[in-house]
Amino acid sequence: MNALEVTEKVQDGVIKAIETSQGWTLGALQSSTSAFDTFRPDLSSMPFADMMPTPGETVDATFSFAGRLLEAQHAFLSSLVGITARAPARAPVAKKAA
């Protein structure tokens, strides 16, 4: 197994651990949301509340921006690697005298 395969295996483990933790968190929140119903503010009395994006729209817009930012960084770093990975010119190898 090479270093890239080991790295991918570790990354997969990290993602699985995060997803498991998120699942537990969502389960706990779903079972206890009714306890927080009285804490929800009435946004209808706030000025311009009807002009605000929904929480879902905010999450979508934020992750859309983050995705575009990651794509731009990926393109930049790929170009940088392409520049720095160019093989240097090799000096001619002297032949051994017989």
Side-chain angles (χ1 to χ4, degrees):
M1 187 179 304
N2 65 30
L4 187 56
E5 291 170 336
V6 171
T7 301
E8 288 175 356
K9 196 169 198 135
V10 169
Q11 289 172 345
D12 289 344
V14 169
I15 295 295
K16 184 153 181 69
I18 289 170
E19 289 172 342
T20 299
S21 173
Q22 290 171 338
W24 292 341
T25 302
L26 290 174
L29 288 172
Q30 287 172 345
S31 65
S32 63
T33 54
S34 62
F36 298 102
D37 284 344
T38 58
F39 295 114
R40 291 186 189 162
D42 179 17
L43 298 179
S44 64
S45 63
M46 293 179 62
F48 308 109
D50 59 331
M51 300 172 81
M52 297 296 292
T54 65
E57 290 170 336
T58 302
V59 168
D60 290 343
T62 301
F63 276 86
S64 175
F65 171 72
R68 292 189 344 247
L69 181 60
L70 281 174
E71 288 173 13
Q73 288 299 98
H74 182 233
F76 169 72
L77 290 174
S78 294
S79 297
L80 184 63
V81 167
I83 292 169
T84 60
R86 290 185 184 141
R90 293 184 174 198
V93 177
K95 291 184 180 181
K96 291 184 181 181

